[in-house]
């Protein structure tokens, strides 16, 4: 990762993922048993993977020149795959987000006290409207505000999204509660309930969750996001892949507590999803073909914190997932 800020900013001048095939991405998602996809429209560097009218720092100004977000949205529409967009409120490239004359290491959190800050919020609003209007229907807007998320005026954006697209879910990383919470790289030890915050990368907060089974009206919606190896996006040097079995067990663990599970899949610079990711995703899909009834449409199970496995439930049916048989080969 020995790269200068200047080189990083100008990488887009040679970005050309010529093997990018969004139809193949959707096919892989289907084969993995996924019921929705979230696409990164803009990450913290500010580069837009869609044809925004409000910046030149975007994929349609690269050698690739195509609007990959539109190509993916059309592919999802053809295959009836619900699509949402990850959108980063932090933006290291925008001069109203931070003083770009300074190294990003000094002000990457943003500078809301500067008089330019309202202009940056307007820029965010214009781009979120673009995503909702040009690439719809958008099922989820997945913000990633990093820290002190209240500086983004989340009520403004939640209200705007709700008014323009009432069926769109909004997560909780823009300073307001949102429709669902987002533990990152971990699974709560107990069933999340309303009134207890479980956001982000701090698993210690899960220890404050109450034991027992919550009432339906007290249940919190949540989704664990996780990498397949140890890196978000693509990293050819990271070979620490989670096994297919471990990923399936994590899926079961999440479902047993009433949550959703979303895996990060970063294509390589050519636009291809690496074979190690594909093998694991298809392996999950093969398991779901046999056992999907115990995951899809289920809620948390009546038996929690089992030493040997997890339970999920649907109506009057309880599904028991045995991870490790007890030494005495008897389940009670």
């Amino acid at each position: 990762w020995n790269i200068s800020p200047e080189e990083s900013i100008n990488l887009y001048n040679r970005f050309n993922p010529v093997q990018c095939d969004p139809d193949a991405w959707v096919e892989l998602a289907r084969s993995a048993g996924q019921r929705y996809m979230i696409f990164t429209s803009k990450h913290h560097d500010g580069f837009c993977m869609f044809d925004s009218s409000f910046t030149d720092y975007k994929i349609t100004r690269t050698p690739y020149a195509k609007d990959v977000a539109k190509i993916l949205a059309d592919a999802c529409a053809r295959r009836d795959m619900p699509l949402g967009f990850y959108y980063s409120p932090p933006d290291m490239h925008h001069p109203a987000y931070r003083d770009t004359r300074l190294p990003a290491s000094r002000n990457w959190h943003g500078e809301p006290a500067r008089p330019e800050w309202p202009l940056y919020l307007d820029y965010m609003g214009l781009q979120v409207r673009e995503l909702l209007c040009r690439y719809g229907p958008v099922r989820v807007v997945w913000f990633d505000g990093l820290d002190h998320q209240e500086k983004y005026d989340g009520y403004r954006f939640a209200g705007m999204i709700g008014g323009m697209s009432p069926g769109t879910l909004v997560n909780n990383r823009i300073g307001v509660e949102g429709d669902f919470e987002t533990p990152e790289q971990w699974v709560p030890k107990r069933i999340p309930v309303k009134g207890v915050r479980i956001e982000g990368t701090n698993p210690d907060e899960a220890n404050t969750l109450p034991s027992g089974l919550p009432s339906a009206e007290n249940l919190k919606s949540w989704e664990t996001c996780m990498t397949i190896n140890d890196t978000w996006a693509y990293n050819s040097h990271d070979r620490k892949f989670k096994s297919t079995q471990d990923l399936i067990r994590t899926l079961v663990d999440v479902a047993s507590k009433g949550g959703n599970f979303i895996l990060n899949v970063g294509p390589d610079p050519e636009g291809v999803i690496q074979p190690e990711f594909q093998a694991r995703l298809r392996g999950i899909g093969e398991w779901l073909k046999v056992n999907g009834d115990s995951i899809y449409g289920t809620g948390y199970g009546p038996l929690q914190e089992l030493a040997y496995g997890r339970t999920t439930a649907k109506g009057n049916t309880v599904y028991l997932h045995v991870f490790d048989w007890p030494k005495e080969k008897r389940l009670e």
Side-chain angles (χ1 to χ4, degrees):
W1 303 105
N2 188 15
I3 184 171
S4 69
E6 292 75 17
E7 185 180 358
S8 176
I9 290 171
N10 287 290
L11 278 173
Y12 78 102
N13 288 317
R14 51 189 175 92
F15 182 48
N16 194 17
V18 291
Q19 297 187 54
C20 170
D21 185 355
D23 282 292
W25 296 352
V26 178
E27 186 280 326
L28 177 61
R30 281 288 184 212
S31 69
Q34 291 178 216
R35 293 293 175 88
Y36 61 102
M37 297 175 68
I38 307 294
F39 180 69
T40 301
S41 66
K42 186 190 79 164
H43 209 270
H44 309 329
D45 59 0
F47 181 77
C48 293
M49 294 291 286
F50 65 105
D51 188 23
S52 175
S53 299
F54 306 104
T55 182
D56 288 336
Y57 197 47
K58 58 184 178 180
I59 193 166
T60 50
R61 291 299 182 97
T62 68
Y64 181 69
K66 301 174 186 176
D67 186 350
V68 68
K70 183 64 169 65
I71 299 172
L72 176 61
D74 291 344
C76 286
R78 287 192 297 271
R79 298 291 299 275
D80 195 27
M81 172 65 76
L83 177 66
F85 287 107
Y86 171 110
Y87 181 88
S88 167
D91 189 320
M92 309 305 149
H93 189 73
H94 200 287
Y97 176 78
R98 68 178 190 90
D99 186 346
T100 54
R101 295 170 298 182
L102 301 174
S105 59
R106 290 177 56 181
N107 56 8
W108 63 275
H109 292 276
E111 298 177 289
R114 295 172 71 219
E116 295 89 345
W117 188 257
L119 297 176
Y120 178 67
L121 296 183
D122 289 345
Y123 173 75
M124 278 181 55
L126 291 168
Q127 289 200 324
V128 172
R129 285 189 181 94
E130 285 183 310
L131 291 171
L132 294 173
C133 294
R134 296 183 184 176
Y135 303 91
V138 176
R139 304 302 182 89
V140 178
V141 175
W142 214 105
F143 291 114
D144 196 4
L146 295 182
D147 61 356
H148 297 289
Q149 298 156 0
E150 64 279 358
K151 63 178 176 270
Y152 300 113
D153 192 6
Y155 292 103
R156 166 184 175 177
F157 289 98
M160 182 188 77
I161 294 167
M164 292 184 64
S165 182
T168 300
L169 298 176
V170 180
N171 73 338
N172 66 323
R173 295 195 182 189
I174 196 169
V176 294
E177 185 173 348
D179 296 303
F180 62 98
E181 290 206 22
T182 52
E184 182 173 322
Q185 299 281 42
W186 57 278
V187 180
K189 295 178 181 177
R190 294 172 178 167
I191 301 172
V193 295
K194 293 178 180 177
V196 180
R197 195 170 179 83
I198 59 168
E199 176 194 346
T201 58
N202 182 10
D204 292 336
E205 295 183 9
N207 295 328
T208 65
L209 293 170
S211 59
L213 301 178
S215 59
E217 60 273 12
N218 200 34
L219 187 66
K220 174 175 288 186
S221 296
W222 61 283
E223 173 193 72
T224 280
C225 53
M226 188 173 287
T227 54
I228 294 177
N229 49 11
D230 285 345
T231 310
W232 298 102
Y234 175 75
N235 181 354
S236 61
H237 303 291
D238 185 351
R239 310 299 296 175
K240 297 179 180 179
F241 302 109
K242 300 175 180 69
S243 69
T244 302
Q245 182 187 72
D246 285 344
L247 293 171
I248 291 171
R249 289 188 174 191
T250 302
L251 169 63
V252 171
D253 191 19
V254 168
S256 77
K257 301 181 179 81
N260 276 12
F261 187 41
I262 186 165
L263 281 171
N264 177 77
V265 181
D268 69 15
E270 298 295 312
V272 176
I273 296 172
Q274 63 193 89
E276 295 87 356
F277 284 9
Q278 292 199 38
R280 284 156 177 79
L281 291 169
R282 295 187 192 280
I284 296 170
E286 289 300 315
W287 184 87
L288 284 167
K289 286 179 183 178
V290 178
N291 302 289
D293 283 348
S294 70
I295 300 294
Y296 298 124
T298 63
Y300 62 81
L303 302 175
Q304 293 288 313
E305 302 182 54
L306 293 176
Y308 54 79
R310 300 289 185 270
T311 61
T312 57
K314 184 189 302 178
N316 293 323
T317 302
V318 175
Y319 300 93
L320 176 63
H321 301 257
V322 181
F323 292 171
D324 301 293
W325 281 91
K327 292 180 179 180
E328 59 275 16
K329 304 298 182 183
R330 178 183 176 91
L331 297 178
E332 294 187 6

